[in-house]
């Protein structure tokens, strides 16, 4: 199942290029639900969803066969690492 999400991630990155790719143009004209993705940036939202699911698979694999205490430490360590990355130093201010 994780492989399917990996393929979906690659496909979302590719389709986010929009009408510059032949598969997007073909899907847009022949598959009715694809018309909801007129703005290619919407594939970025789907990519976020796919990456969230893949990270869940990664945590499950890291914690498989480990005790509850070790599992808690692994999850806390990764969550903290993500939080530190997101709360990194502020970027340059515009208009200052």
């Amino acid at each position: 199942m994780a492989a399917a999400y990996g393929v979906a991630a690659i496909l979302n990155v590719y389709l986010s290029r929009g009408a510059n790719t032949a598969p997007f143009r073909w899907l847009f004209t022949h598959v009715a639900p694809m018309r909801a993705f007129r703005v290619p940036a919407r594939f970025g939202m789907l990519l976020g969803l796919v990456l969230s699911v893949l990270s869940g698979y990664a945590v499950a694999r890291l914690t498989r066969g480990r005790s509850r205490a070790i599992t808690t430490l692994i999850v806390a360590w990764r969550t903290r690492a993500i939080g530190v990355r997101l709360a990194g130093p502020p970027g340059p201010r515009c208009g200052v």
Side-chain angles (χ1 to χ4, degrees):
M1 193 66 164
Y5 281 104
V7 170
I10 293 169
L11 187 63
N12 279 316
V13 169
Y14 187 68
L15 289 176
S16 68
R17 296 179 62 210
N20 297 327
T21 61
F24 182 89
R25 287 191 301 268
W26 186 87
L27 288 170
F28 188 79
T29 57
H30 292 92
V31 180
M34 277 292 291
R35 293 192 185 110
F37 293 102
R38 290 184 312 269
V39 181
R42 292 184 183 156
F43 283 104
M45 292 184 285
L46 285 177
L47 179 62
L49 173 69
V50 169
L51 290 177
S52 298
V53 172
L54 283 173
S55 66
Y57 277 115
V59 168
R61 182 161 182 183
L62 283 172
T63 60
R64 187 182 311 143
R66 303 199 193 290
S67 70
R68 188 171 183 88
I70 298 296
T71 299
T72 303
L73 285 174
I74 290 172
V75 171
W77 173 67
R78 291 309 306 156
T79 303
R80 182 183 176 283
I82 291 168
V84 167
R85 173 71 178 117
L86 292 177
R93 294 181 180 221
C94 296
V96 174

